[in-house]
Amino acid sequence: MKNFTVPMALVDFVPVILFAIAAILLQRDLYNKMSKGAFALFATGTIDIICAGCAKAVYKLLYAAGICDLEPLNAMFFPVQSIGFLLAGIGIVAMLFHKQSENTLLAVAPPVFSGTAIFVTFMCLGLGMIYLVLCVLAVKLKKPLLIAVFVVSFFCSLCMGYLSSKDFTQSYMNWIAQCINVFGQGLLLCGAIALRKAGLMEMHLK
């Protein structure tokens, strides 16, 4: 039996909002540095992540409010989010190796199926690529302290990736997961804001 409450479900929207703001800032700041294909991958990936998070939060809210148990919303979360992280990771890494004017990159999203190991791999690879590039950008902008911010956020995201694949039966475990997620996405947003203030939008990649 799932122990979702309305307050818990509402809190679930907070990290989604924080990630969405951070993703929008990064999209705007990195647009002129990416090829069209790389940006399409990054944008599609981050949008996938946001949609997956919203779907999970809506599912929890509907369940907690006693409206319905719309399991497909819950079931789609992990595969869609994992693929989103992979696409976003490929896109942001491509930025370092392909100039904005180069040919469009093409990618085909893997099919969704019931296994979880492949999605865990997608999520870990995607997260690793995203945060690695953010750390590289922090170094280029002479903001090395931001590396610590991104590393902690990365591990929070990895932790959430693991926890999101579990079906909690204890309410306190859900609250722990929510706190980790809010903290991790909050750090990501703070890092994205700091990169922007340091001149990310104006910088030229070599």
Side-chain angles (χ1 to χ4, degrees):
M1 184 67 179
K2 303 179 183 71
N3 290 300
F4 299 144
T5 62
V6 172
M8 180 189 298
L10 293 175
V11 171
D12 208 42
F13 284 98
V14 175
V16 177
I17 294 171
L18 293 175
F19 178 85
I21 296 172
I24 291 170
L25 288 177
L26 290 172
Q27 287 175 19
R28 289 175 60 87
D29 291 346
L30 299 177
Y31 177 76
N32 63 346
K33 301 168 182 60
M34 290 181 162
S35 68
K36 293 180 180 179
F39 183 78
L41 286 173
F42 182 69
T44 300
T46 52
I47 291 171
D48 278 356
I49 297 165
I50 294 167
C51 289
C54 286
K56 180 78 173 209
V58 168
Y59 167 74
K60 287 185 177 181
L61 185 59
L62 292 174
Y63 187 93
I67 297 175
C68 64
D69 184 2
L70 195 56
E71 183 58 30
L73 283 179
N74 185 43
M76 69 176 284
F77 168 74
F78 196 53
V80 172
Q81 185 189 64
S82 301
I83 293 172
F85 274 118
L86 181 64
L87 294 179
I90 293 172
I92 199 170
V93 167
M95 175 188 69
L96 298 180
F97 302 101
H98 294 267
K99 295 181 180 179
Q100 198 275 339
S101 60
E102 291 191 6
N103 292 333
T104 301
L105 298 176
L106 298 177
V108 179
V112 175
F113 52 91
S114 58
T116 59
I118 187 67
F119 296 121
V120 172
T121 302
F122 287 170
M123 179 172 287
C124 291
L125 286 175
L127 281 169
M129 288 187 285
I130 291 170
Y131 281 99
L132 177 61
V133 173
L134 290 177
C135 289
V136 170
L137 294 175
V139 172
K140 288 180 177 291
L141 291 169
K142 303 186 187 307
K143 294 291 182 180
L145 292 180
L146 285 179
I147 294 176
V149 173
F150 290 131
V151 167
V152 175
S153 179
F154 170 66
F155 280 108
C156 288
S157 296
L158 280 184
C159 184
M160 277 306 303
Y162 171 77
L163 294 176
S164 64
S165 67
K166 305 300 178 182
D167 184 16
F168 294 132
T169 57
Q170 300 297 324
S171 180
Y172 76 90
M173 286 297 294
N174 283 282
W175 280 111
I176 291 174
Q178 292 291 1
C179 291
I180 293 174
N181 202 11
V182 170
F183 181 65
Q185 300 309 320
L187 287 177
L188 175 61
L189 176 56
C190 289
I193 292 173
L195 288 177
R196 164 168 278 209
K197 289 183 177 179
L200 177 60
M201 182 177 287
E202 296 80 18
M203 78 172 289
H204 296 283
L205 294 176
K206 296 180 180 180

